[in-house]
Amino acid sequence: NFEISYGVVSKASAGEIIISEYDAEKDATVDVSYVVDAQTKVVNADTVEAIDVGASVEISYAAVDGKKLAKVITVEKVEAQE
């Protein structure tokens, strides 16, 4: 049973991805860290490290031991402007 979050990538590395996402309780954009491991599936990018800063992503995650464990990271495709 996963939760889903949307945001813009601030940092992406082999062990974690940090995204800026809207926090309704704070009525502000906050940086949130998600743990990445060998089971994390990446869609529309080869690896987590290949995800560009500034890319929009959807993360399906599970809360484990107080951390957010990314299960699926989907990079939203941007249509090229002609």
Side-chain angles (χ1 to χ4, degrees), residues 4-7 19 41 55-60 72-76:
I4 295 178
S5 187
Y6 301 91
I19 67 170
K41 182 178 177 197
S56 293
V57 293
E58 174 186 303
I59 300 179
S60 297
V72 181
I73 301 170
T74 303
V75 180
E76 300 197 0

Side-chain angles (χ1 to χ4, degrees), residues 60-71:
S60 297
Y61 68 93
V64 179
D65 297 331
K67 295 181 180 168
K68 295 180 177 184
L69 181 60
K71 295 296 185 181

Side-chain angles (χ1 to χ4, degrees), residues 3-81:
E3 294 186 58
I4 295 178
S5 187
Y6 301 91
V8 175
V9 176
S10 309
K11 180 181 176 217
S13 64
E16 87 176 328
I17 186 167
I18 299 173
I19 67 170
S20 291
E21 61 185 56
Y22 181 71
D23 184 325
E25 289 177 16
K26 295 179 181 172
D27 191 26
T29 302
V30 296
D31 281 349
V32 180
S33 174
Y34 295 84
V35 176
V36 174
D37 65 14
Q39 279 71 50
T40 302
K41 182 178 177 197
V42 180
V43 180
N44 296 334
D46 293 334
T47 63
V48 174
E49 300 98 304
I51 300 172
D52 293 327
V53 168
S56 293
V57 293
E58 174 186 303
I59 300 179
S60 297
Y61 68 93
V64 179
D65 297 331
K67 295 181 180 168
K68 295 180 177 184
L69 181 60
K71 295 296 185 181
V72 181
I73 301 170
T74 303
V75 180
E76 300 197 0
K77 291 266 189 204
V78 177
E79 297 299 320
Q81 297 295 319

